[in-house]
Amino acid sequence: MSPAVHLAATGHGFLSPTGVEIAFLLVGIATLGAAVLTVTTKQLVHAALWLVVALGGIAVEYLLLTAEFIAWVQVLIYVGSVVVLLLFGLMLTKAPIGPSPDADSGNRAAALAVAVAAAGVLVWVVVDAFRTTWIELDKGVQGSTAVSGDSLFRHWVLPFEALSVLLLAALVGAIVLSRKTAEPRDALSGKEKR
């Protein structure tokens, strides 16, 4: 019996989507749209706000996969910290608020080709890896707090702390860049050197 016939016989298949699967697809489309708007807008603040929508959509996808802990970590770390850090960086460096001609490098065709190729490879790898794997939504074990916390603090604590140091360095760098350098003064006369 072929794998497709076996999957159809067990009740799983693409012809009978559930409400969760439909919601997952709709949220995925909205998240993809927000991600496209993030990289195509010419206003930096609008790009950061569309990034909030895209990262929030990913958190909703985690909720639909019954991974509540990962969803709230997504909201707290990415939406709550990374985007706020981005906005603070934009405000501190006095980046242009309106449309910025520097935001477009003119390589849209090459960027689109690379994005489509990367997305195609990613979809192919994920589909090939999980072709016959189904997530049982009735069991809350996979994304539970205990399993995720154990994995995070046993195997991923060093990258987690490295990310926090990286975010702190970015904030300090934005503050340093935003400070105006004063002209050097002559110590004896108090007048500015020219």
Side-chain angles (χ1 to χ4, degrees), residues 18-29 60-61 64:
T18 64
V20 173
E21 292 169 344
I22 293 171
F24 189 87
L25 180 67
L26 293 176
V27 171
I29 291 170
V60 172
E61 298 284 42
L64 291 171

Side-chain angles (χ1 to χ4, degrees), residues 24-61:
F24 189 87
L25 180 67
L26 293 176
V27 171
I29 291 170
T31 303
L32 179 65
V36 168
L37 287 171
T38 299
V39 296
T40 57
T41 185
K42 292 187 180 186
Q43 296 187 5
L44 294 176
V45 175
H46 288 181
L49 295 176
W50 281 116
L51 183 61
V52 169
V53 175
L55 293 173
I58 292 172
V60 172
E61 298 284 42

